[in-house]
Amino acid sequence: MLHTYLLGILIFAARSSALYDSSSDVVELTPSNFDRLVTNSDEVWIVEFFAPWCGHCKNLVPEYKKAARALKGIVKVGAVDADNHKSLSQKYGVTGFPTIKIFTGSKHTPYQGQRTAEAFVDAALKAAKERAYDNLGKKPSGGSDKSDVIELTDSNFKELVLDSEDLWLVEFFAPWCGHCKNLEPHWAKAATELKGKVKVGALDATVHQAMAARYQVQGYPTIKMFPAGKKTSDSVEDYNGGRTASDIVAWAMDKVAENVPAPEIVQVIDEETMKACSEKPLCVVSILPHILDCNAACRNDYLAVLKRLGEKYKNKMWGWIWAEAGAQTALEEALELGGFGYPAMAVVNAKKLKFSTLRGSFSETGINEFLRDLSFGRGQTAPVRGAEMPKVASTDPWDGKDGELPPEEDIDLSDVDLKDEL
């Protein structure tokens, strides 16, 4: 009798520690059935990783059960006691509770919506629709690719953000926050438009509280800018722009312009240096006089002018290269340089195979006027000769020294009889 009583107590304790009983439509998931039911199945699942003692998890129960009833026969809804099954929660990067993920076979994505039955249903139906269209080999009509917003957590924040050389915009959000929900489509659109220029991330501050506390997040959404290069606490800046995608993109690009380093003025010595410049929106090509016609001090003066102008126009992301007169004849011919002497300059769009030539003086003022007109879309252009970017000859880089004339040959006239010549 005592054994029966103790067994009853244990069963009651086990049930009371769980948030979802057997009468619920929420499926209990464990390490022993997870792969069979979820990752190896063809069904879409919403899975909550919870801890029985977690207050947010307890508050979620009514809405999660309601979503499970609504989705019955359409999308599976499950729950993992992550406190009891730590290995399973660690496998999927769970560091806070509740964490909710949407599984489509072995693929899983974090759920970042509101914690209401309606929001769960919307997310589940969206995932199911994407799965169905994926089976057809098509994208859903009006659908889009996976968001370019990068999911950040306490565990990956240092590696992805703080240790990177990239400029980051990070949203600290709460899934239940209405303003965060309204921002979500704009944030995703901005991330796509900024791809390749600015990294855009989002961190659930209710789950990943260490990073939220470190950066003194007190309301949602909070957006912070982490600059390019080395990042310190003092360099992190609060976002103070608007909440539309265009506002976010414009603000971020202003920060890119402020943070972008001045371009290096690179000597063309091989195909790689030419290719690197050709990949820029525009490539500024200067042909400087031969070192015997313009010594080291003279050449350095020209390079200093180019460096100052490179700094002035750095936000344009142009490439800047130079070559010595006669060293890259194919480049000179393709851009029609050198016909009026040296120094000379042309700006080329390698993708369109169009170029424009400096007609004024090769001075800081003359070059600035030329580049300013180009930046406003003014100026005459011509097609690159040969309808392709020219081949570049491999040459030695300039050593920074003056040129030296080749030594004169000593001619021995001792054996020459000049009498016969007179």
Side-chain angles (χ1 to χ4, degrees):
M1 188 72 178
L2 180 61
H3 288 162
T4 304
Y5 175 72
L6 291 174
L7 180 61
I9 291 177
L10 290 173
I11 292 174
F12 175 79
R15 285 184 175 176
S16 63
S17 68
L19 299 184
Y20 303 98
D21 56 35
S22 58
S23 63
S24 167
D25 292 306
V26 178
V27 179
E28 180 185 2
L29 297 171
T30 67
S32 61
N33 68 9
F34 196 91
D35 287 342
R36 175 173 57 84
L37 295 180
V38 181
T39 60
N40 294 335
S41 80
D42 293 326
E43 295 176 295
V44 174
W45 280 79
I46 292 185
V47 177
E48 176 200 2
F49 294 82
F50 70 90
W53 45 261
C54 162
H56 292 301
C57 303
K58 293 176 182 177
N59 294 336
L60 179 67
V61 170
E63 293 297 311
Y64 202 63
K65 283 183 175 180
K66 192 187 298 183
R69 285 197 301 272
L71 289 167
K72 192 171 184 179
I74 304 170
V75 169
K76 295 286 188 178
V77 178
V80 175
D81 183 342
D83 199 38
N84 192 31
H85 304 300
K86 291 184 172 63
S87 61
L88 187 57
S89 61
Q90 289 171 358
K91 180 179 179 179
Y92 292 104
V94 175
T95 58
F97 309 113
T99 291
I100 302 169
K101 294 179 180 286
I102 298 179
F103 284 79
T104 306
S106 60
K107 297 179 182 179
H108 59 90
T109 56
Y111 172 81
Q112 296 181 345
Q114 295 182 349
R115 295 178 182 178
T116 65
E118 291 81 1
F120 292 136
V121 168
D122 287 342
L125 294 179
K126 180 182 176 184
K129 182 178 180 180
E130 289 174 352
R131 178 61 181 268
Y133 271 83
D134 188 50
N135 291 338
L136 289 174
K138 296 181 179 181
K139 294 178 183 178
S141 55
S144 59
D145 292 329
K146 183 180 177 182
S147 172
D148 291 308
V149 177
I150 299 167
E151 181 190 3
L152 298 172
T153 66
D154 283 340
S155 58
N156 69 14
F157 200 93
K158 182 177 184 298
E159 178 186 356
L160 294 184
V161 180
L162 301 181
D163 292 344
S164 80
E165 293 295 316
D166 300 305
L167 188 152
W168 277 81
L169 276 183
V170 177
E171 176 201 4
F172 296 82
F173 72 93
W176 44 260
C177 160
H179 293 301
C180 304
K181 191 68 176 176
N182 293 336
L183 177 65
E184 186 177 357
H186 296 282
W187 197 245
K189 185 177 180 182
T192 299
E193 293 185 25
L194 291 168
K195 194 172 183 178
K197 306 179 189 74
V198 176
K199 294 289 183 69
V200 177
L203 180 141
D204 184 342
T206 65
V207 173
H208 306 288
Q209 297 176 6
M211 284 299 140
R214 177 173 177 177
Y215 293 104
Q216 300 177 337
V217 174
Q218 297 178 335
Y220 309 114
T222 291
I223 301 171
K224 292 184 179 285
M225 186 275 292
F226 295 77
K230 186 177 180 180
K231 298 167 179 62
T232 64
S233 297
D234 293 337
S235 67
V236 179
E237 184 177 336
D238 288 328
Y239 174 83
N240 56 8
R243 296 294 175 89
T244 68
S246 59
D247 290 333
I248 296 164
V249 170
W251 193 92
M253 290 309 297
D254 284 343
K255 294 302 174 183
V256 169
E258 291 176 13
N259 284 269
V260 69
E264 185 180 358
I265 313 301
V266 181
Q267 183 183 2
V268 183
I269 58 172
D270 52 28
E271 285 287 351
E272 287 301 313
T273 51
M274 187 70 227
K275 181 182 177 183
C277 195
S278 297
E279 291 174 347
K280 301 290 185 178
L282 292 177
C283 179
V284 182
V285 182
S286 298
I287 305 297
L288 303 183
H290 194 280
I291 195 63
L292 294 177
D293 297 322
C294 172
N295 61 19
C298 167
R299 178 172 289 180
N300 282 323
D301 285 343
Y302 284 130
L303 292 174
V305 168
L306 296 176
K307 185 176 181 179
R308 288 194 295 272
L309 289 166
E311 171 73 31
K312 183 172 184 177
Y313 289 93
K314 66 179 184 177
N315 63 327
K316 301 295 183 182
M317 307 292 187
W318 294 342
W320 294 69
I321 57 175
W322 69 275
E324 182 177 79
Q328 301 294 346
T329 55
L331 180 61
E332 291 187 42
E333 291 172 1
L335 304 182
E336 300 178 8
L337 291 170
F340 298 97
Y342 306 100
M345 174 182 284
V347 176
V348 60
N349 184 323
K351 292 182 180 179
K352 296 183 178 180
L353 294 174
K354 298 278 188 180
F355 73 94
S356 184
T357 305
L358 171 67
R359 301 298 182 187
S361 65
F362 196 98
S363 63
E364 191 158 348
T365 300
I367 297 171
N368 179 54
E369 291 176 353
F370 170 57
L371 297 178
R372 184 188 60 202
D373 286 346
L374 287 178
S375 67
F376 288 126
R378 298 195 295 262
Q380 295 181 339
T381 61
V384 174
R385 283 190 178 183
E388 64 178 359
M389 291 301 292
K391 299 295 182 183
V392 169
S394 295
T395 61
D396 293 328
W398 178 45
D399 60 7
K401 300 178 181 178
D402 289 333
E404 295 183 5
L405 290 169
E408 296 183 7
E409 293 185 26
D410 292 330
I411 302 174
D412 186 1
L413 300 176
S414 60
D415 294 333
V416 177
D417 187 353
L418 297 178
K419 292 180 182 180
D420 294 337
E421 301 293 329
L422 299 175

